[in-house]
Amino acid sequence: GENVEQHPSTLSVQEGDSAVIKCTYSDSASNYFPWYKQELGKRPQLIIDIRSNVGEKKDQRIAVTLNKTAKHFSLHITETQPEDSAVYFCAASIKDSGYALNFGKGTSLLVTP
Amino acid sequence: GAVVSQHPSRVICKSGTSVKIECRSLDFQATTMFWYRQFPKQSLMLMATSNEGSKATYEQGVEKDKFLINHASLTLSTLTVTSAHPEDSSFYICSTSDPRRTDTQYFGPGTRLTVL
């Protein structure tokens, strides 16, 4: 089945710096790659997603890149703010599973003022 | 955006009892819903795929007789944890996708189950 690896598990940056989280996946049939931000006790919130026909997507301070050949995708957050502190999950959907999601293990991001 | 609701948001029960969790799609008809489980400080793990009008598909390692799923209508799927034990304590989250854009998932707010 699909396996999604996510690194790092924890990341601490100073306010204003950039944060990068990387994920790899194993199933070449995966074609949808969302990133979620989850605060304690809350549902995952979609922050950005990318589909396999696109290599890069940007939304203000957040960007995602996808390398289908290497089967990896990354989340980039620029000009980080303390409110960006949360757990971030990457995921890959698998068409044959009805677009269920396989999640990475998560990255706990801490932005210090 | 699409709205998915879950009920209850929090439940505490005694060991051996059964708990039913409801997941409703409020904005569109959902032929497929997904159930995930998240243990503390861990990731979301897919438990099963709920299909309207047919049997659910369970992921490896998930006991279908313990986690009963019913998807009797296009807007409601239920997960019943039967004979709950403390190790079933977890955060249960459902999701569904808009038929017009099947890959984007919309998550419910989750149900925190604590089994004493």
Side-chain angles (χ1 to χ4, degrees), chain A residues 64-100:
Chain A
V64 57
T65 58
L66 170 66
N67 183 328
K68 279 218 74 177
T69 304
K71 298 200 190 80
H72 65 70
F73 56 114
S74 301
L75 177 72
H76 304 251
I77 306 174
T78 58
E79 301 171 32
T80 54
Q81 301 165 2
E83 49 266 40
D84 293 330
S85 298
V87 179
Y88 291 81
F89 292 98
C90 64
S93 78
I94 305 170
K95 192 174 183 179
D96 290 341
S97 297
Y99 293 97

Side-chain angles (χ1 to χ4, degrees), chain B residues 32-81:
Chain B
T32 301
M33 290 184 172
F34 302 103
W35 286 95
Y36 295 86
R37 178 169 56 183
Q38 186 177 30
F39 292 110
K41 296 188 178 182
Q42 293 190 26
S43 186
L44 284 81
M45 296 293 293
L46 179 68
M47 297 178 65
T49 301
S50 173
N51 302 297
E52 188 269 336
S54 65
K55 290 183 178 180
T57 304
Y58 291 82
E59 295 300 300
Q60 194 172 9
V62 178
E63 300 175 56
K64 62 179 181 180
D65 294 331
K66 180 169 180 67
F67 298 99
L68 302 179
I69 291 174
N70 185 284
H71 194 154
S73 78
L74 287 171
T75 59
L76 174 65
S77 175
T78 61
L79 169 68
T80 301
V81 184

Side-chain angles (χ1 to χ4, degrees), chain B residues 4 17 20 30 34 63 65 70-71 73 79 82 84 97 102-103 107 109 111:
Chain B
V4 179
T17 61
K20 180 186 281 189
F34 302 103
E63 300 175 56
D65 294 331
N70 185 284
H71 194 154
S73 78
L79 169 68
T82 62
S97 59
T102 51
D103 50 15
F107 285 89
T111 297

Side-chain angles (χ1 to χ4, degrees), chain A residues 6-8 11 19-23 35 73-77 88-90 106-109:
Chain A
Q6 182 172 348
H7 298 281
L11 180 59
V20 180
I21 303 170
K22 297 182 179 183
C23 287
W35 285 89
F73 56 114
S74 301
L75 177 72
H76 304 251
I77 306 174
Y88 291 81
F89 292 98
C90 64
T107 297
S108 179
L109 173 65

